[in-house]
Amino acid sequence: MELRAVKGMNDILPDEAARWQRLEQAFREHVARYGYDEVRTPILEHTALFSRQIGETTDVVEKEMYSFARHGDELTVRPEGTAGAARAYVEHKIHTKEPVSRWYYLGPMFRGERPAKGRYRQFYQAGCELYGDAGPLADAEMIEMILSLLSSGLGISNIEVRLNSLGASGTRARYRDALVAYFTPMKDKLSEDSQRRLEKNPLRILDSKDPRDREASKGAPSILELLDEADAAHFAGVRRHLDALDVRYIVDPTLVRGLDYYTRTLFEFVTTAGDLGAQSTVVGGGRYDNMIEGLGGPSVPAIGFAMGIERLLTLMPGEASRERPAIYIAPLSDTCTSRALVLGRDLRARGVRVEVDGRGGRLKAMLRRADSLGAKLCVILGDGELERGVVSVKDLAAHKQDEVPLADAADVLAARARAEVSPPPGEAR
Ligand code: ATP
Ligand code: MG
């Protein structure tokens, strides 16, 4: 039987991994400028953490979690990063150590969804969480941070920012009632899931991808009209700061997102490029001012976001590519192999990427390999060279060959490996 990867879970092979690293590196450097430090939490958490924080009547909790019982624990492979980070924040009493914390994370998440382009069962998210700042400045700064990461950091354009406010819990309760009143007369036109959730969690209907629910949601009441004074002032503050930062956004009063923990500001970054279809949302986030307290901690406001790395990679320009060895070493006989290994080690100690050909055999095959790897120099070490105490060095770009004393080879070759590629003959600088 041929074993294959689990459905919806992908191998990232080295050619592709270079692009992943580029994105991850850009993310880390960008958010570091805003004061974020990395947190690493376990992949497994107690199931109750997610079911309570994300919400019992969400798609994630009802259908998508990988949960199992083992050694007396009910466990779930994390479907998102916010709940685990908040659990760690409370468990380690971070609020007693500093008034404001800025954390980022990066890693795999797991949801048993139907796979499609940009929708997988193991997928990767990078995200940030900011604890301890309730003000609208935090919201606007975070949105600007994401936008500049996408545009300047990753070169992704055609992005729209969608913004809404859900208000605090009182507003949500009033909105819930307004939605129940709105959807009840058309109950039989809704999807089965939405009919079932109508009383308990009608906000979910607005987030449904089912065309029947989308149609029914078109005339739904706007939450923005129900905001109380404090919520409305907060939202106005976010908008004012975004305007000051020249961030363009669309206010979308039907934006609710798929997780129950959000309060007040909610946002989504959507690509308008069109090649991701129903997977066009690349970043989602918002405030969750009640979660820390809900987990048994003090009342600490929080805001965060997560971006889908696979979706961003489909939009990020730049070819897949691998790093090339600067130097390829071709030992031509058994007696030369040990010397080649030593030279390889000494070059690496000088910071050079080196591959030693250990296959044995003919020079021609080794040169071909050096060429196809894109090496700059091929160092040839045969019995003749060894007797004379030299190595032959073929500059594969400049098509030149010379000899270097074996004793200085590491220093001389490391310097050449670092030097600019010399221009082809006849092309003056
Ligand atoms: P969607 O509406 O597309 O299902 P979501 O609302 O479930 O997304 P969040 O839980 O807010 O998404 O996650 C934030 C981001 O993570 C999404 O915008 C998306 O880019 C990415 N993401 C979510 N689920 C998946 C998945 N199954 N495969 C790949 N990326 C995903
Ligand atoms: Mg989803």
Side-chain angles (χ1 to χ4, degrees), residues 31 121 141 169-170 286 357 418:
V31 302
R121 292 182 168 175
E141 187 184 63
S169 33
D357 196 326
R418 272 192 287 273

Side-chain angles (χ1 to χ4, degrees), residues 96-166:
T96 63
K97 298 169 186 154
E98 53 187 25
V100 172
S101 303
R102 292 185 171 86
W103 289 3
Y104 79 83
Y105 61 85
L106 215 156
M109 307 295 162
F110 300 82
R111 297 182 194 177
E113 305 193 64
R114 190 215 292 259
K117 183 178 182 194
R119 190 175 297 283
Y120 309 106
R121 292 182 168 175
Q122 173 172 337
F123 61 99
Y124 287 74
Q125 285 185 339
C128 289
E129 313 292 352
L130 166 53
Y131 307 100
D133 190 339
L137 177 151
D139 311 36
E141 187 184 63
M142 183 171 276
I143 290 168
E144 184 281 323
M145 174 173 82
I146 301 165
L147 196 62
S148 51
L149 169 63
L150 300 193
S151 57
S152 325
L154 306 178
I156 298 174
S157 48
N158 302 325
I159 292 286
E160 237 167 55
V161 181
R162 295 177 180 267
L163 189 68
N164 193 18
S165 174
L166 292 183

Side-chain angles (χ1 to χ4, degrees), residues 111 113 118-120 123 125 209 257-259 278 281-284 306-308 310-311:
R111 297 182 194 177
E113 305 193 64
R119 190 175 297 283
Y120 309 106
F123 61 99
Q125 285 185 339
K209 291 182 179 69
R257 310 214 29 76
L259 316 171
T281 302
V282 291
V283 183
M307 46 195 232
E310 288 87 349
R311 293 186 194 178

